[in-house]
Amino acid sequence: ALSKLTYDRMKVLIVRDAASQQEVDESAAAMRQMEAAVNVDKASLANAELQLSYTKITAPIRGRVGLRMLDRGNMVKANDVTGIAVITQLQPISVVFSIPQDDIPAVRQRLNEAGSIEVLAYDRSFKELIATGNFTAVDNQVDASTGTLKLKATFANEKETLFPNQFVNIRLLVKQWEDAIVVPSTAIQRGPDFPFVYIAKEDETVDIRQVEIAFSDAGKTVIQTGIAAGEKVVVEGTDKLQPGGKVTLPGSKPPSQDKAGAGKPSESKPSEGKSSEGKPSESKPSESKPIESK
């Protein structure tokens, strides 16, 4: 500040011819020298503040901090492999899973039609829905050793129901079936040439009916062709049945043991395409492929 005041006075004196140009230049140089000294001090202060900031570590992401890997008194260096702690991002969180290569066309077709696929994450028992997310990415090649393709989905995980390295079952919604005929999977029998079901007729006898299966999931099977809504299919005791054999319909008396085809009565249930009153059911099952993933 004193150098600046001196320089200002010298500028006034030279106008009045009371100072030489040399004195003015020397005064200006002295002022700039003092300004440079101030800048050096400011740089030293900024460097000290920078060094002090290194004592506080700020995470580059938002997430959960794991158990510390170092204790008080341990030396910490910039190139330490273990670090101090591990931070895992939870919101959002990604799930990587695999699908059989035979299911790739269905997934690609859904992506081409809708642009996205709804992804459902279930618990280990495949009973409770944990979270719903969106399809994110697909790998560029099939794993030849397993015949599967890796996919990736992202979940908002607002309630933190998904946890890193947690085992979940993933279901992809690839097709919506309207007014589907649904039967318990236990009713489906596998013959040497085709799958079939036992149809319980009104006279309490059974007949074989060839069916075409659309898909099976969660203990239920969607029948594409072969049976109509409301028909009764046998779900228990099928190993003892033959065409024309007797069965016990719900609410009826067991057949007598002396009749042909008698044995342990087989229970039959109506297919789920219609309710017991004959009215169309409101359920519209969706085709999905259960895939275990980690």
Side-chain angles (χ1 to χ4, degrees):
L2 179 59
S3 296
K4 189 176 183 307
L5 291 175
T6 303
Y7 175 63
D8 292 339
R9 293 192 190 98
M10 296 303 296
K11 288 192 297 183
V12 175
L13 294 175
I14 195 174
V15 174
R16 300 176 181 177
D17 293 331
S20 65
Q21 183 64 44
Q22 180 180 355
E23 292 175 327
V24 174
D25 294 340
E26 291 175 352
S27 177
M31 181 190 69
R32 294 190 184 97
Q33 183 180 2
M34 293 301 175
E35 289 176 348
V38 171
N39 291 333
V40 170
D41 292 339
K42 288 181 178 180
S44 299
L45 177 60
N47 181 64
E49 292 175 345
L50 177 63
Q51 297 299 326
L52 183 62
S53 68
Y54 292 154
T55 62
K56 180 180 180 181
I57 300 177
T58 303
I61 61 174
R62 180 174 180 265
R64 183 185 296 272
V65 180
L67 300 177
R68 72 177 186 268
M69 300 180 181
L70 296 174
D71 295 320
R72 180 178 297 180
N74 295 142
M75 296 297 296
V76 179
K77 291 180 285 187
N79 58 351
D80 283 345
V81 178
T82 58
I84 298 177
V86 176
I87 302 175
T88 305
Q89 179 174 304
L90 297 180
Q91 297 176 343
I93 194 170
S94 296
V95 176
V96 178
F97 57 97
S98 300
I99 63 172
Q101 59 183 356
D102 295 339
D103 295 333
I104 296 176
V107 174
R108 290 180 60 86
Q109 181 179 357
R110 177 65 177 179
L111 284 174
N112 294 334
E113 293 175 353
S116 64
I117 299 179
E118 184 179 13
V119 183
L120 308 176
Y122 287 81
D123 61 358
R124 180 181 290 272
S125 63
F126 222 128
K127 295 181 180 179
E128 182 181 355
L129 178 62
I130 301 177
T132 302
N134 294 315
F135 179 83
T136 305
V138 58
D139 202 358
N140 60 352
Q141 58 183 345
V142 174
D143 188 345
S145 61
T146 60
T148 59
L149 178 68
K150 286 186 178 181
L151 305 179
K152 184 178 181 180
T154 302
F155 297 79
N157 202 28
E158 296 176 352
K159 297 182 179 180
E160 296 188 1
T161 52
L162 293 175
F163 208 76
N165 286 340
Q166 177 184 2
F167 182 90
V168 295
N169 288 293
I170 294 297
R171 178 175 292 167
L172 300 178
L173 179 61
V174 295
K175 186 175 182 180
Q176 188 82 13
W177 288 75
E178 304 290 341
D179 299 326
I181 303 298
V182 183
V183 299
S185 296
T186 53
I188 305 298
Q189 306 300 313
R190 306 286 177 177
D193 300 321
F194 52 80
F196 64 91
V197 296
Y198 285 106
I199 298 294
K201 300 187 292 186
E202 295 298 331
D203 60 355
E204 297 187 357
T205 61
V206 296
D207 193 12
I208 288 180
R209 184 79 58 81
Q210 180 181 350
V211 295
E212 184 177 351
I213 298 174
F215 70 95
S216 298
D217 182 39
K220 295 184 179 181
T221 299
V222 174
I223 303 299
Q224 194 164 353
T225 59
I227 61 175
E231 290 188 306
K232 295 181 175 65
V233 296
V234 179
V235 296
E236 293 182 6
T238 54
D239 56 330
K240 302 179 180 180
L241 279 180
Q242 292 181 357
K246 285 286 186 177
V247 295
T248 301
L249 298 179
S252 62
K253 295 181 180 180
S256 59
Q257 298 296 323
D258 56 349
K259 293 184 179 180
K264 184 178 179 181
S266 301
E267 182 182 352
S268 62
K269 293 184 180 180
S271 60
E272 300 182 11
K274 290 187 178 180
S275 64
S276 57
E277 294 82 11
K279 297 179 181 179
S281 113
E282 297 181 358
S283 62
K284 297 179 180 179
S286 304
E287 180 179 358
S288 57
K289 300 293 182 181
I291 304 156
E292 290 191 354
S293 62
K294 187 173 181 182

